[in-house]
Each structure stands twice: as structure tokens, then as C-alpha cells.
Amino acid sequence: QVQPVESGGGLVQAGGSLRLSCAASGNSITMAWYRQAPGKQRELVADISRSGRTVYLDSVKGRFTISGDIAKNTVYLQMNSLKVEDTGVYSCAATTLVGRTWGQGTQVTVSS
């Protein structure tokens, strides 16, 4: 299974938008976006399964949307109304029957 590759991070002002993309390989069951802010633990931002079921971190509900084609190992994260506290390294994770693989991450910085 090849390591997922993320793209789309960057610097944006508060209130702005960014769209992250992730491409993986293998037979993914679910794909997810995690983030880690400086000095904090990594947290699950959003998850999507092959059935289309989605799960969101409470603080991003209504602002972020996860989408993609899990069968094709592709997932996106549309982030709107970004806040300074959304700053962090966003990593894509692809889960298969044999385990989970992680991307290297992409930096998202939201300025005030």
C-alpha cells in the first residue's frame, strides 16, 4: 500500500477557504483527515466510509465537508469559514483490512 499524498494546504486569512486533496492506493475501507496543532495531540477532523457515512469533529461541523470516492482512494476536505484555531498539519489516513497508512501531511495556516 502506497503512502497517501496530500495537497492543497497553505496560508489563508480567517474566514477564507481551502480545499485539501488526498490520493492513496490499496483497498481502502475508510479515509480520514486528521490535524495536529503545535503543542497539541493529533485529532480526527473528518472521516468517510465506502458507504458514504461521514463523521466530523464538533468544532468543524457546518464549516468543513469531507467527500471523495473511497473505492478510488481519493478524498477531499473543503474547509470554509476558517478560523485561527484551525491552524495545523493536516494528514490523510487510509484504512484497509490490514491496517492504516498515513500521508506526510500538509500545513494549513489561518491568520487573523
Side-chain angles (χ1 to χ4, degrees):
Q1 191 171 359
V2 177
Q3 182 180 36
V5 178
E6 305 99 335
S7 62
L11 173 65
V12 63
Q13 285 191 327
S17 298
L18 283 174
R19 186 174 188 246
L20 306 182
S21 300
C22 174
S25 68
N27 192 17
S28 298
I29 300 171
T30 66
M31 294 185 73
W33 287 98
Y34 287 76
R35 72 184 180 191
Q36 187 166 22
K40 294 187 177 180
Q41 289 189 329
R42 183 168 57 192
E43 61 185 353
L44 174 66
V45 176
D47 176 280
I48 185 168
S49 68
R50 277 183 175 246
S51 67
R53 173 198 57 82
T54 57
V55 175
Y56 291 96
L57 180 68
D58 282 347
S59 64
V60 308
K61 287 179 180 177
R63 300 188 297 121
F64 291 12
T65 303
I66 189 169
S67 64
D69 187 340
I70 306 307
K72 296 182 179 180
N73 298 291
T74 302
V75 67
Y76 307 97
L77 185 68
Q78 178 66 42
M79 305 185 292
N80 298 328
S81 302
L82 282 160
K83 303 177 180 180
V84 172
E85 51 264 42
D86 293 320
T87 294
V89 176
Y90 284 68
S91 300
C92 175
T95 301
T96 68
L97 289 176
V98 297
R100 176 177 293 171
T101 54
W102 294 87
Q104 289 193 332
T106 184
Q107 177 70 42
V108 172
T109 303
V110 184
S111 63
S112 59

